């Protein structure tokens, strides 16, 4: 079977959502071109400085590789966070990541939950469990990762922060928030999310129309060495996201392009809702000074630390 794009090389991949059979070279070019289109739409090419969040996983490596082809790598700063998960975060992975980014000409800066917050993710989960709280590790991890990424974006004076969320991630988030009835949170996502505070650096997702299987194949074809082991917290206790993911895969298999259609419809509804939105600037947390939700004195992150008894431990250490 000949590649539908170049008409010369042997096709090795079937792009189900488009129906095209592609050779490896044309598949890579297709992904790169779609990322470039999204990057232009998100004004990434005009930014003087872009912070990219990199974990060392396939998505962040594909993000760095594709953006470095359309943006001067000197205008990109990569940011890595070590959450502190035993057997999952390894120093060797950070070294490999640093070497790869250095070859691309991208600077890497790093931090850790332990160094920035005073506690590793394992310590947060353990402390909350000792208090009989049923707080998922993902609740701690997601909130604090977003906080540290935003802080890093401010620290380096980035115009935009780019994350490696792919199409599957985006649609999972949409469905989860719909199931929870969280309309306000839905409005914060999308192609052009609302910016409700001057302390927020606008976040963009150049891979949001690239399937996860495509980022995986891109990484394998390019020969990237990336962490393939799933976070042990997800394996130990499957989250709503994991359950939604399985349902999504079934629907996509039955109707190729389903995920793209969901995203496109959501973007249209989100744009309409944002035009009618009259939300003002978010208030700030009385403890950390970061933005929090309307009607709340403390941000979710500080509330989690207080509930787990970690805020008291941190104050005792300072004294």
């Amino acid at each position: 079977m000949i590649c539908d794009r170049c008409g010369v090389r042997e096709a090795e991949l079937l792009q189900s959502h488009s129906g095209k059979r592609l050779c490896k070279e044309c598949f890579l070019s297709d992904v790169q071109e779609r990322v470039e289109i999204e990057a232009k739409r998100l004004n990434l090419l005009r930014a003087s400085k872009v912070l990219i969040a990199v974990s060392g996983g396939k998505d962040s490596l594909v993000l760095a590789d594709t953006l470095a082809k359309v943006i001067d790598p000197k205008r990109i700063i990569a940011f890595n966070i070590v959450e502190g998960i035993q057997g999952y975060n390894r120093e060797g992975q950070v070294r490999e990541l640093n070497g790869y980014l250095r070859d691309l000409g991208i600077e890497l800066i790093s931090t850790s939950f332990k160094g920035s917050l005073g506690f590793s993710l394992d310590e947060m989960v353990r402390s909350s469990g000792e208090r009989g709280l049923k707080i998922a590790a993902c609740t701690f991890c997601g909130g604090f990762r977003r906080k540290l990424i935003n802080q890093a974006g401010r620290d380096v004076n980035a115009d935009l922060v780019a994350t490696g969320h792919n199409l599957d991630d985006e649609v999972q988030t949409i469905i989860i928030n719909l199931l929870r009835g969280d309309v306000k949170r839905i409005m914060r996502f999308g192609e052009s999310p609302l910016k409700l505070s001057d302390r927020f650096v606008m976040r963009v997702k150049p891979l949001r129309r690239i399937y996860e299987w495509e980022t995986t194949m891109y990484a394998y074809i390019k020969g990237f060495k990336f962490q393939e082991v799933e976070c042990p917290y997800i394996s130990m206790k499957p989250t709503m996201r994991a359950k939604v993911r399985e349902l999504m895969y079934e629907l996509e298999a039955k109707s190729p392009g389903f995920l793209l259609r969901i995203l496109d419809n959501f973007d249209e509804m989100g744009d309409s809702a944002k035009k009618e939105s009259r939300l003002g600037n978010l208030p700030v947390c009385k403890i950390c000074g970061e933005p929090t939700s309307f009607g709340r004195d403390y941000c979710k992150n500080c509330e989690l630390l207080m509930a787990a008894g970690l805020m008291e431990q941190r104050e005792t250490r300072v004294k």
Side-chain angles (χ1 to χ4, degrees):
M1 186 72 68
I2 299 300
C3 173
D4 291 330
R5 177 166 167 151
C6 68
V8 176
R9 292 179 289 267
E10 189 74 18
E12 298 185 52
L13 296 157
L14 171 62
Q15 196 177 56
S16 297
H17 67 273
S18 69
K20 295 178 181 178
R21 291 175 172 80
L22 302 172
C23 64
K24 291 180 180 179
E25 291 84 351
C26 287
F27 170 77
L28 293 177
S29 296
D30 178 81
V31 171
Q32 176 64 56
E33 289 168 9
R34 286 155 58 200
V35 173
E36 183 174 359
I37 290 171
E38 195 69 13
K40 289 179 180 177
R41 185 182 291 124
L42 297 170
N43 291 320
L44 274 163
L45 276 62
R46 297 181 180 179
S48 59
K49 188 174 294 184
V50 177
L51 182 86
I52 61 172
V54 293
S55 64
K58 63 183 183 338
D59 296 324
S60 57
L61 291 175
V62 173
L63 176 68
D65 189 75
T66 52
L67 286 187
K69 290 179 171 60
V70 295
I71 302 174
D72 183 351
K74 294 179 181 178
R75 290 159 49 199
I76 303 174
I77 297 178
F79 179 58
N80 174 253
I81 302 171
V82 176
E83 297 90 352
I85 304 171
Q86 186 174 7
Y88 183 67
N89 295 135
R90 300 183 180 90
E91 291 183 5
Q93 292 168 347
V94 177
R95 286 196 297 270
E96 283 189 4
L97 176 62
N98 191 25
Y100 171 71
L101 293 170
R102 187 171 56 246
D103 290 342
L104 285 176
I106 296 175
E107 177 188 357
L108 174 67
I109 58 177
S110 301
T111 190
S112 66
F113 275 20
K114 184 75 171 180
S116 297
L117 306 170
F119 307 96
S120 67
L121 181 59
D122 283 348
E123 290 172 330
M124 293 178 185
V125 173
R126 184 165 55 249
S127 183
S128 65
E130 289 171 353
R131 290 199 162 202
L133 303 176
K134 296 181 179 180
I135 302 175
C138 295
T139 301
F140 282 111
C141 189
F144 284 111
R145 279 185 58 83
R146 286 189 293 273
K147 177 177 182 176
L148 293 177
I149 290 170
N150 187 63
Q151 286 179 339
R154 289 203 311 261
D155 290 343
V156 302
N157 295 316
D159 300 307
L160 297 166
V161 167
T163 62
H165 292 88
N166 57 49
L167 175 62
D168 300 46
D169 297 326
E170 284 289 270
V171 177
Q172 287 165 27
T173 298
I174 292 169
I175 294 175
I176 288 170
N177 286 323
L178 284 172
L179 291 174
R180 290 173 175 168
D182 196 340
V183 178
K184 290 183 179 179
R185 185 173 292 275
I186 289 174
M187 288 174 62
R188 295 177 201 165
F189 286 84
E191 192 171 52
S192 301
L194 289 171
K195 184 178 180 181
L196 300 178
S197 172
D198 292 337
R199 294 188 64 77
F200 283 145
V201 181
M202 184 67 76
R203 283 201 307 163
V204 295
K205 305 166 186 177
L207 305 183
R208 69 191 302 266
R209 284 189 168 82
I210 308 297
Y211 281 86
E212 184 169 16
W213 76 264
E214 292 181 302
T215 64
T216 302
M217 290 308 303
Y218 188 105
Y220 274 124
I221 293 171
K222 297 283 285 189
F224 297 156
K225 293 181 180 179
F226 58 90
Q227 180 164 285
E228 299 185 66
V229 179
E230 190 169 53
C231 173
Y233 285 114
I234 294 178
S235 302
M236 287 187 294
K237 186 178 180 181
T239 60
M240 181 188 292
R241 182 173 290 274
K243 297 173 183 177
V244 167
R245 180 173 59 187
E246 293 305 313
L247 173 61
M248 280 173 29
Y249 289 162
E250 291 181 18
L251 294 172
E252 178 68 26
K254 293 178 181 178
S255 180
F258 170 78
L259 299 189
L260 279 169
R261 292 192 293 273
I262 287 286
L263 186 67
D264 288 339
N265 288 330
F266 160 74
D267 282 348
E268 289 181 13
M269 291 187 293
D271 288 342
S272 297
K274 288 163 193 169
K275 289 177 183 177
E276 298 174 5
S277 174
R278 290 178 174 79
L279 297 175
N281 283 339
L282 292 172
V284 296
C285 174
K286 291 183 177 180
I287 294 178
C288 69
E290 292 298 308
T292 185
S293 301
F294 294 107
R296 295 174 65 165
D297 291 331
Y298 308 108
C299 68
K300 182 65 174 179
N301 291 324
C302 286
E303 286 183 349
L304 287 171
L305 292 181
M306 287 188 283
L310 295 169
M311 192 70 77
E312 299 169 10
Q313 293 182 33
R314 191 161 67 182
E315 291 174 353
T316 301
R317 291 178 188 175
V318 174
K319 292 178 181 179

